[in-house]
Amino acid sequence: MTVRRASRGRAARLGLAVLLCAVGAAAAPARADVIIGVAVPRTGPVAGIGEQVLQGVQAAARDANARGGIAGEPIVLSVQDDGCDPGQAVEVAERFMQAQVRLIVGHVCSSASLAASDVYAANGAVMISPASNAARLTDRGLPTIFRVSGREDDQGRLSATILAERFRDKKIAILSDDTPLSRSLADSTKANLNKIGQNEALFATIVPGQTDDAALIKRLQAAGIEVVYYGGHYQEMGRLVRTAAEQGYRPQWFGTSGIATKEFGALAGPASNGVLMTFNPDLRRKPEAAAAVKAFQAEGVDPGGFTLYGYAALQALVEAGNFAKSTDPKTVAETLHAERFNLVLGNVGFDQKGDVTAPGYVLYVWRDGAFTYAN
Protein backbone atom coordinates (compact mmCIF):
# COMPACT_ATOMS: atom_id res chain seq x y z
CA MET A 1 0.00 0.00 0.00
CA THR A 2 1.37 3.40 -0.92
CA VAL A 3 1.08 6.15 1.64
CA ARG A 4 0.58 9.61 0.22
CA ARG A 5 2.91 11.85 2.12
CA ALA A 6 2.84 15.54 2.80
CA SER A 7 5.60 17.69 1.37
CA ARG A 8 7.92 17.08 4.36
CA GLY A 9 11.04 15.00 4.85
CA ARG A 10 10.90 12.05 7.19
CA ALA A 11 11.91 12.71 10.76
CA ALA A 12 15.07 11.03 11.94
CA ARG A 13 13.44 9.70 15.07
CA LEU A 14 10.87 6.97 15.29
CA GLY A 15 8.06 7.13 17.81
CA LEU A 16 6.93 4.26 19.98
CA ALA A 17 5.71 1.06 18.40
CA VAL A 18 1.98 0.76 17.89
CA LEU A 19 0.28 -0.38 21.06
CA LEU A 20 -3.09 -2.02 20.52
CA CYS A 21 -5.24 -2.17 23.63
CA ALA A 22 -8.83 -3.32 23.69
CA VAL A 23 -10.67 -0.97 25.99
CA GLY A 24 -12.88 -2.69 28.53
CA ALA A 25 -11.66 -6.20 27.61
CA ALA A 26 -9.10 -8.56 29.14
CA ALA A 27 -7.10 -8.88 25.93
CA ALA A 28 -7.03 -7.42 22.43
CA PRO A 29 -9.02 -9.38 19.86
CA ALA A 30 -7.11 -11.16 17.11
CA ARG A 31 -8.80 -8.96 14.53
CA ALA A 32 -9.97 -5.42 15.19
CA ASP A 33 -13.03 -4.33 13.29
CA VAL A 34 -12.69 -0.62 14.15
CA ILE A 35 -9.21 0.57 14.98
CA ILE A 36 -8.96 4.20 16.06
CA GLY A 37 -5.55 5.79 16.21
CA VAL A 38 -4.69 7.93 19.22
CA ALA A 39 -1.72 10.29 18.87
CA VAL A 40 -0.70 12.12 22.04
CA PRO A 41 2.55 13.20 23.72
CA ARG A 42 3.40 10.59 26.33
CA THR A 43 6.96 11.84 26.65
CA GLY A 44 8.40 15.32 26.43
CA PRO A 45 7.34 18.70 27.81
CA VAL A 46 3.55 18.28 27.69
CA ALA A 47 3.24 14.59 28.54
CA GLY A 48 0.91 15.50 31.41
CA ILE A 49 -1.62 16.97 28.99
CA GLY A 50 -1.20 13.97 26.71
CA GLU A 51 -2.10 11.66 29.58
CA GLN A 52 -5.23 13.69 30.32
CA VAL A 53 -6.35 13.31 26.71
CA LEU A 54 -5.55 9.60 26.62
CA GLN A 55 -7.48 8.98 29.81
CA GLY A 56 -10.52 10.65 28.26
CA VAL A 57 -10.21 8.72 24.99
CA GLN A 58 -9.91 5.39 26.79
CA ALA A 59 -13.00 6.11 28.88
CA ALA A 60 -14.99 7.14 25.80
CA ALA A 61 -13.97 3.96 23.97
CA ARG A 62 -14.95 1.84 26.96
CA ASP A 63 -18.35 3.53 27.16
CA ALA A 64 -18.89 3.25 23.42
CA ASN A 65 -18.01 -0.45 23.43
CA ALA A 66 -20.52 -1.03 26.22
CA ARG A 67 -23.15 0.32 23.81
CA GLY A 68 -22.01 -1.69 20.80
CA GLY A 69 -19.00 0.24 19.49
CA ILE A 70 -19.30 1.78 16.03
CA ALA A 71 -21.85 0.27 13.64
CA GLY A 72 -22.00 -2.77 15.91
CA GLU A 73 -18.26 -3.41 15.90
CA PRO A 74 -15.94 -3.04 18.90
CA ILE A 75 -13.40 -0.23 19.08
CA VAL A 76 -9.70 -0.97 19.55
CA LEU A 77 -7.31 1.88 20.24
CA SER A 78 -3.90 2.15 18.61
CA VAL A 79 -1.98 4.50 20.90
CA GLN A 80 1.19 6.26 19.76
CA ASP A 81 3.49 8.84 21.30
CA ASP A 82 4.34 11.87 19.16
CA GLY A 83 6.35 13.62 21.88
CA CYS A 84 4.75 16.95 20.90
CA ASP A 85 7.26 16.93 18.04
CA PRO A 86 6.31 17.64 14.38
CA GLY A 87 8.78 15.11 13.00
CA GLN A 88 7.59 12.34 15.29
CA ALA A 89 4.01 13.29 14.51
CA VAL A 90 4.62 12.73 10.79
CA GLU A 91 6.17 9.34 11.57
CA VAL A 92 3.13 8.43 13.66
CA ALA A 93 0.77 9.53 10.89
CA GLU A 94 2.63 7.48 8.30
CA ARG A 95 2.54 4.40 10.51
CA PHE A 96 -1.21 4.80 10.91
CA MET A 97 -1.56 5.03 7.13
CA GLN A 98 0.58 1.93 6.59
CA ALA A 99 -1.58 0.08 9.12
CA GLN A 100 -4.78 1.22 7.34
CA VAL A 101 -5.89 3.26 10.38
CA ARG A 102 -8.08 6.01 8.98
CA LEU A 103 -9.84 7.41 12.07
CA ILE A 104 -7.52 9.33 14.42
CA VAL A 105 -7.91 11.22 17.68
CA GLY A 106 -4.99 13.65 17.94
CA HIS A 107 -2.72 15.35 17.98
CA VAL A 108 -2.35 17.58 21.07
CA CYS A 109 0.32 20.16 20.24
CA SER A 110 -0.54 22.45 17.33
CA SER A 111 2.85 22.00 15.67
CA ALA A 112 2.36 18.22 15.72
CA SER A 113 -1.22 18.48 14.46
CA LEU A 114 -0.24 20.77 11.60
CA ALA A 115 2.52 18.44 10.45
CA ALA A 116 0.53 15.21 10.75
CA SER A 117 -2.69 16.63 9.30
CA ASP A 118 -1.07 17.00 5.88
CA VAL A 119 -0.45 13.24 5.84
CA TYR A 120 -3.99 12.45 6.98
CA ALA A 121 -5.58 14.81 4.48
CA ALA A 122 -3.51 13.41 1.61
CA ASN A 123 -4.72 9.91 2.47
CA GLY A 124 -8.38 10.74 3.18
CA ALA A 125 -8.05 9.94 6.90
CA VAL A 126 -10.13 11.70 9.55
CA MET A 127 -8.22 13.49 12.30
CA ILE A 128 -9.98 15.17 15.21
CA SER A 129 -7.78 17.09 17.65
CA PRO A 130 -8.81 17.37 21.29
CA ALA A 131 -6.48 20.26 22.09
CA SER A 132 -4.75 22.00 19.15
CA ASN A 133 -5.86 25.60 18.77
CA ALA A 134 -3.69 26.94 15.93
CA ALA A 135 -6.02 28.77 13.56
CA ARG A 136 -4.16 27.43 10.51
CA LEU A 137 -5.09 23.85 11.40
CA THR A 138 -8.63 24.37 10.13
CA ASP A 139 -8.25 27.58 8.13
CA ARG A 140 -6.72 25.50 5.31
CA GLY A 141 -10.14 23.93 4.77
CA LEU A 142 -8.94 20.32 4.73
CA PRO A 143 -12.20 18.32 4.63
CA THR A 144 -11.14 15.52 7.01
CA ILE A 145 -9.47 17.63 9.72
CA PHE A 146 -11.46 18.62 12.83
CA ARG A 147 -11.05 19.77 16.40
CA VAL A 148 -13.19 19.92 19.55
CA SER A 149 -11.09 22.63 21.24
CA GLY A 150 -11.11 26.37 20.60
CA ARG A 151 -9.00 28.50 18.25
CA GLU A 152 -5.97 30.61 19.14
CA ASP A 153 -7.43 33.77 17.59
CA ASP A 154 -10.49 33.46 19.85
CA GLN A 155 -8.20 32.98 22.84
CA GLY A 156 -6.09 36.00 21.85
CA ARG A 157 -9.17 38.20 21.55
CA LEU A 158 -10.42 37.18 24.98
CA SER A 159 -7.00 37.68 26.57
CA ALA A 160 -6.71 41.16 25.09
CA THR A 161 -10.20 42.10 26.26
CA ILE A 162 -9.43 40.96 29.81
CA LEU A 163 -6.12 42.83 29.85
CA ALA A 164 -7.78 46.02 28.61
CA GLU A 165 -10.76 45.83 30.95
CA ARG A 166 -9.00 44.74 34.13
CA PHE A 167 -5.54 46.26 33.77
CA ARG A 168 -5.95 49.38 31.67
CA ASP A 169 -3.68 51.51 33.89
CA LYS A 170 -1.05 48.79 34.46
CA LYS A 171 2.26 48.17 32.72
CA ILE A 172 1.84 44.93 30.76
CA ALA A 173 4.49 42.55 29.41
CA ILE A 174 3.63 40.00 26.72
CA LEU A 175 5.97 37.01 26.59
CA SER A 176 6.11 33.96 24.31
CA ASP A 177 8.45 31.05 23.83
CA ASP A 178 9.92 29.91 20.53
CA THR A 179 7.06 27.57 19.57
CA PRO A 180 4.64 28.49 16.76
CA LEU A 181 1.56 28.33 18.96
CA SER A 182 3.04 30.47 21.72
CA ARG A 183 4.16 33.09 19.23
CA SER A 184 0.73 33.09 17.62
CA LEU A 185 -1.04 33.52 20.96
CA ALA A 186 1.27 36.35 21.99
CA ASP A 187 0.97 38.03 18.59
CA SER A 188 -2.82 37.71 18.61
CA THR A 189 -3.09 39.08 22.14
CA LYS A 190 -0.79 41.99 21.30
CA ALA A 191 -2.61 42.84 18.06
CA ASN A 192 -6.02 42.77 19.72
CA LEU A 193 -4.81 44.75 22.72
CA ASN A 194 -3.30 47.41 20.46
CA LYS A 195 -6.52 47.49 18.42
CA ILE A 196 -8.44 48.27 21.59
CA GLY A 197 -6.10 51.21 22.12
CA GLN A 198 -3.72 49.90 24.79
CA ASN A 199 -0.03 49.22 24.25
CA GLU A 200 2.13 46.75 26.10
CA ALA A 201 5.24 48.03 27.88
CA LEU A 202 7.37 45.02 26.91
CA PHE A 203 7.11 42.30 24.24
CA ALA A 204 9.72 39.53 24.37
CA THR A 205 10.43 35.95 23.36
CA ILE A 206 12.18 33.45 25.61
CA VAL A 207 13.79 30.13 24.73
CA PRO A 208 12.60 27.27 27.00
CA GLY A 209 15.51 25.75 28.88
CA GLN A 210 17.93 28.45 27.76
CA THR A 211 16.57 31.69 29.17
CA ASP A 212 18.07 32.96 32.45
CA ASP A 213 14.96 33.19 34.63
CA ALA A 214 16.59 35.47 37.19
CA ALA A 215 17.77 37.88 34.49
CA LEU A 216 14.32 37.93 32.88
CA ILE A 217 12.65 38.65 36.21
CA LYS A 218 15.07 41.51 36.86
CA ARG A 219 14.26 42.88 33.41
CA LEU A 220 10.55 42.78 34.17
CA GLN A 221 11.08 44.45 37.51
CA ALA A 222 13.30 47.16 36.04
CA ALA A 223 10.63 47.96 33.46
CA GLY A 224 8.03 48.33 36.23
CA ILE A 225 5.91 45.50 34.79
CA GLU A 226 2.76 44.89 36.83
CA VAL A 227 1.05 42.28 34.60
CA VAL A 228 2.85 39.46 32.77
CA TYR A 229 1.03 37.60 29.99
CA TYR A 230 2.81 34.40 28.95
CA GLY A 231 1.68 32.40 25.92
CA GLY A 232 3.73 29.26 26.57
CA HIS A 233 3.48 25.97 28.44
CA TYR A 234 3.28 25.12 32.11
CA GLN A 235 6.93 24.15 32.71
CA GLU A 236 8.41 27.55 31.92
CA MET A 237 5.56 29.58 33.40
CA GLY A 238 5.44 27.51 36.57
CA ARG A 239 9.15 28.00 37.09
CA LEU A 240 8.97 31.73 36.34
CA VAL A 241 6.07 32.31 38.73
CA ARG A 242 7.82 30.42 41.53
CA THR A 243 11.22 32.07 40.96
CA ALA A 244 9.71 35.56 40.80
CA ALA A 245 7.89 35.00 44.10
CA GLU A 246 11.09 33.75 45.71
CA GLN A 247 12.71 37.03 44.67
CA GLY A 248 9.86 39.06 46.12
CA TYR A 249 8.38 39.99 42.72
CA ARG A 250 4.66 39.30 42.45
CA PRO A 251 3.09 40.77 39.31
CA GLN A 252 -0.28 39.60 38.07
CA TRP A 253 0.55 36.52 35.97
CA PHE A 254 -1.72 35.62 33.07
CA GLY A 255 -1.41 32.34 31.17
CA THR A 256 -3.19 30.36 28.48
CA SER A 257 -4.49 26.84 27.88
CA GLY A 258 -0.84 25.72 27.95
CA ILE A 259 -0.90 25.78 31.76
CA ALA A 260 -4.23 23.96 32.19
CA THR A 261 -2.71 21.03 34.05
CA LYS A 262 -2.09 20.31 37.74
CA GLU A 263 1.63 20.20 37.01
CA PHE A 264 1.58 23.99 36.75
CA GLY A 265 0.28 24.30 40.30
CA ALA A 266 2.89 21.83 41.53
CA LEU A 267 5.71 23.73 39.82
CA ALA A 268 4.63 27.21 40.87
CA GLY A 269 3.63 26.14 44.37
CA PRO A 270 1.76 28.66 46.54
CA ALA A 271 2.76 31.41 44.06
CA SER A 272 0.22 29.94 41.61
CA ASN A 273 -2.59 31.40 43.72
CA GLY A 274 -4.23 34.22 41.79
CA VAL A 275 -2.69 33.36 38.41
CA LEU A 276 -5.21 33.99 35.62
CA MET A 277 -5.63 31.70 32.63
CA THR A 278 -7.77 31.42 29.51
CA PHE A 279 -8.94 27.89 28.74
CA ASN A 280 -11.80 25.96 27.18
CA PRO A 281 -15.06 25.77 29.16
CA ASP A 282 -15.04 23.32 32.09
CA LEU A 283 -16.98 20.37 30.75
CA ARG A 284 -17.40 18.96 34.24
CA ARG A 285 -20.11 21.61 34.65
CA LYS A 286 -22.04 20.50 31.56
CA PRO A 287 -25.16 18.42 32.27
CA GLU A 288 -24.40 16.40 29.14
CA ALA A 289 -21.12 15.28 30.75
CA ALA A 290 -22.65 14.27 34.09
CA ALA A 291 -22.63 10.51 33.44
CA ALA A 292 -19.04 10.52 32.20
CA VAL A 293 -17.92 12.67 35.14
CA LYS A 294 -19.64 10.34 37.60
CA ALA A 295 -17.89 7.33 36.05
CA PHE A 296 -14.51 9.04 36.30
CA GLN A 297 -15.12 10.03 39.91
CA ALA A 298 -16.13 6.46 40.77
CA GLU A 299 -12.61 5.48 39.70
CA GLY A 300 -11.06 8.24 41.79
CA VAL A 301 -10.30 10.43 38.78
CA ASP A 302 -11.08 14.14 38.51
CA PRO A 303 -11.63 14.64 34.74
CA GLY A 304 -10.33 18.20 34.62
CA GLY A 305 -8.16 19.93 32.06
CA PHE A 306 -8.22 18.23 28.65
CA THR A 307 -9.61 14.88 29.87
CA LEU A 308 -13.19 15.43 28.71
CA TYR A 309 -11.97 17.00 25.47
CA GLY A 310 -10.23 13.71 24.73
CA TYR A 311 -13.52 12.00 25.55
CA ALA A 312 -15.41 14.35 23.23
CA ALA A 313 -13.03 13.78 20.30
CA LEU A 314 -13.50 10.01 20.40
CA GLN A 315 -17.21 10.42 21.10
CA ALA A 316 -17.64 12.57 17.99
CA LEU A 317 -16.12 9.85 15.79
CA VAL A 318 -18.37 7.25 17.38
CA GLU A 319 -21.53 9.33 17.00
CA ALA A 320 -20.77 10.19 13.38
CA GLY A 321 -20.00 6.57 12.54
CA ASN A 322 -23.16 5.32 14.20
CA PHE A 323 -25.29 8.00 12.53
CA ALA A 324 -23.90 7.06 9.12
CA LYS A 325 -23.72 3.33 9.98
CA SER A 326 -20.23 3.40 8.50
CA THR A 327 -16.58 3.66 9.47
CA ASP A 328 -15.52 4.82 6.02
CA PRO A 329 -13.48 7.99 6.70
CA LYS A 330 -14.99 9.99 3.84
CA THR A 331 -18.50 9.18 5.08
CA VAL A 332 -17.57 9.92 8.70
CA ALA A 333 -16.06 13.29 7.70
CA GLU A 334 -19.11 14.26 5.65
CA THR A 335 -21.36 13.31 8.56
CA LEU A 336 -19.31 15.35 11.03
CA HIS A 337 -19.72 18.40 8.78
CA ALA A 338 -23.42 17.87 8.14
CA GLU A 339 -24.98 16.76 11.43
CA ARG A 340 -25.19 17.76 15.09
CA PHE A 341 -24.33 15.41 17.93
CA ASN A 342 -25.03 15.11 21.64
CA LEU A 343 -21.55 15.04 23.14
CA VAL A 344 -20.10 15.88 26.54
CA LEU A 345 -19.62 19.31 24.93
CA GLY A 346 -23.39 19.66 24.53
CA ASN A 347 -25.37 19.51 21.29
CA VAL A 348 -22.76 20.59 18.75
CA GLY A 349 -21.75 20.35 15.10
CA PHE A 350 -18.69 21.22 13.04
CA ASP A 351 -18.48 24.06 10.55
CA GLN A 352 -17.05 23.73 7.05
CA LYS A 353 -13.55 24.42 8.35
CA GLY A 354 -13.82 21.60 10.90
CA ASP A 355 -14.15 23.84 13.97
CA VAL A 356 -16.61 22.76 16.63
CA THR A 357 -19.63 25.01 17.20
CA ALA A 358 -19.16 25.06 21.00
CA PRO A 359 -18.10 28.17 22.98
CA GLY A 360 -14.38 28.87 22.78
CA TYR A 361 -12.70 30.18 25.94
CA VAL A 362 -13.40 31.48 29.43
CA LEU A 363 -11.30 33.04 32.19
CA TYR A 364 -10.00 30.94 35.10
CA VAL A 365 -8.04 31.66 38.26
CA TRP A 366 -5.69 29.31 40.12
CA ARG A 367 -6.39 28.59 43.78
CA ASP A 368 -4.70 25.98 45.99
CA GLY A 369 -3.20 24.01 43.12
CA ALA A 370 -6.33 23.92 40.96
CA PHE A 371 -8.16 26.28 38.64
CA THR A 372 -11.75 27.43 38.58
CA TYR A 373 -13.83 30.05 36.80
CA ALA A 374 -12.78 33.60 37.67
CA ASN A 375 -15.30 36.21 38.76
Side-chain angles (χ1 to χ4, degrees):
M1 188 272 293
T2 300
V3 174
R4 296 185 182 89
R5 301 182 55 190
S7 56
R8 285 183 169 84
R10 291 179 63 86
R13 291 175 293 170
L14 291 176
L16 297 180
V18 174
L19 171 64
L20 294 181
C21 54
V23 178
R31 176 178 177 271
D33 289 297
V34 184
I35 302 177
I36 295 180
V38 184
V40 294
R42 306 196 73 185
T43 56
V46 294
I49 292 176
E51 288 305 309
Q52 287 180 1
V53 170
L54 180 58
Q55 200 167 41
V57 173
Q58 289 172 330
R62 176 201 63 209
D63 293 347
N65 279 339
R67 295 189 293 269
I70 301 180
E73 301 294 345
I75 296 166
V76 172
L77 301 180
S78 172
V79 182
Q80 296 232 4
D81 176 18
D82 68 10
C84 190
D85 176 80
Q88 282 185 245
V90 169
E91 294 288 345
V92 166
E94 291 178 345
R95 283 198 294 277
F96 282 148
M97 297 305 95
Q98 291 285 354
Q100 297 287 344
V101 177
R102 292 294 188 271
L103 300 177
I104 295 94
V105 172
H107 297 234
V108 168
C109 295
S110 287
S111 58
S113 286
L114 284 164
S117 62
D118 288 340
V119 178
Y120 300 135
N123 288 273
V126 174
M127 172 193 129
I128 183 163
S129 173
S132 296
N133 56 15
R136 195 161 69 87
L137 180 63
T138 51
D139 279 353
R140 295 169 297 166
L142 301 175
T144 61
I145 306 303
F146 301 84
R147 65 169 139 221
V148 294
S149 58
R151 293 168 53 97
E152 66 187 2
D153 43 3
D154 291 336
Q155 191 168 188
R157 278 190 290 271
L158 176 61
S159 297
T161 299
I162 292 165
L163 288 170
E165 290 179 350
R166 296 189 177 215
F167 309 109
R168 178 164 292 280
D169 299 323
K170 304 292 185 181
K171 284 191 173 183
I172 298 170
I174 297 177
L175 306 179
S176 71
D177 61 30
D178 63 348
T179 63
L181 177 61
S182 180
R183 288 196 301 271
S184 294
L185 282 169
D187 288 344
S188 176
T189 299
K190 171 182 166 59
N192 283 286
L193 184 65
N194 297 164
K195 191 181 298 182
I196 293 170
Q198 185 169 351
N199 293 320
E200 72 284 355
L202 178 67
F203 187 88
T205 299
I206 68 174
V207 180
Q210 298 181 31
T211 296
D212 184 333
D213 292 345
L216 175 61
I217 289 165
K218 286 181 180 179
R219 182 183 177 191
L220 294 170
Q221 284 181 295
I225 298 301
E226 300 165 279
V227 181
V228 183
Y229 173 90
Y230 180 60
H233 289 297
Y234 64 87
Q235 297 93 333
E236 288 73 32
M237 189 166 181
R239 193 179 61 247
L240 282 171
V241 170
R242 184 190 69 242
T243 304
E246 290 171 350
Q247 295 184 11
Y249 176 50
R250 293 180 176 273
Q252 174 62 64
W253 292 93
F254 190 169
T256 72
S257 52
I259 67 169
T261 175
K262 63 183 179 181
E263 283 83 358
F264 169 75
L267 283 167
S272 66
N273 286 333
V275 172
L276 297 175
M277 173 188 79
T278 49
F279 184 49
N280 300 307
D282 186 353
L283 299 185
R284 293 172 298 181
R285 297 175 177 233
K286 300 282 289 186
E288 296 88 349
V293 170
K294 184 177 180 180
F296 276 114
Q297 291 174 338
E299 297 175 353
V301 175
D302 177 15
F306 286 96
T307 305
L308 288 168
Y309 285 88
Y311 191 105
L314 190 284
Q315 189 183 28
L317 290 177
V318 171
E319 292 299 312
N322 281 332
F323 183 93
K325 297 181 174 56
S326 172
T327 58
D328 172 71
K330 184 174 185 293
T331 303
V332 169
E334 290 173 347
T335 304
L336 285 169
H337 280 298
E339 304 299 333
R340 295 185 68 86
F341 308 96
N342 291 316
L343 310 180
V344 291
L345 295 164
N347 183 263
V348 300
F350 295 87
D351 64 21
Q352 288 308 301
K353 288 183 177 181
D355 289 320
V356 71
T357 60
Y361 291 93
V362 294
L363 181 66
Y364 291 82
V365 62
W366 280 84
R367 296 289 182 200
D368 301 323
F371 53 88
T372 187
Y373 285 168
N375 294 325

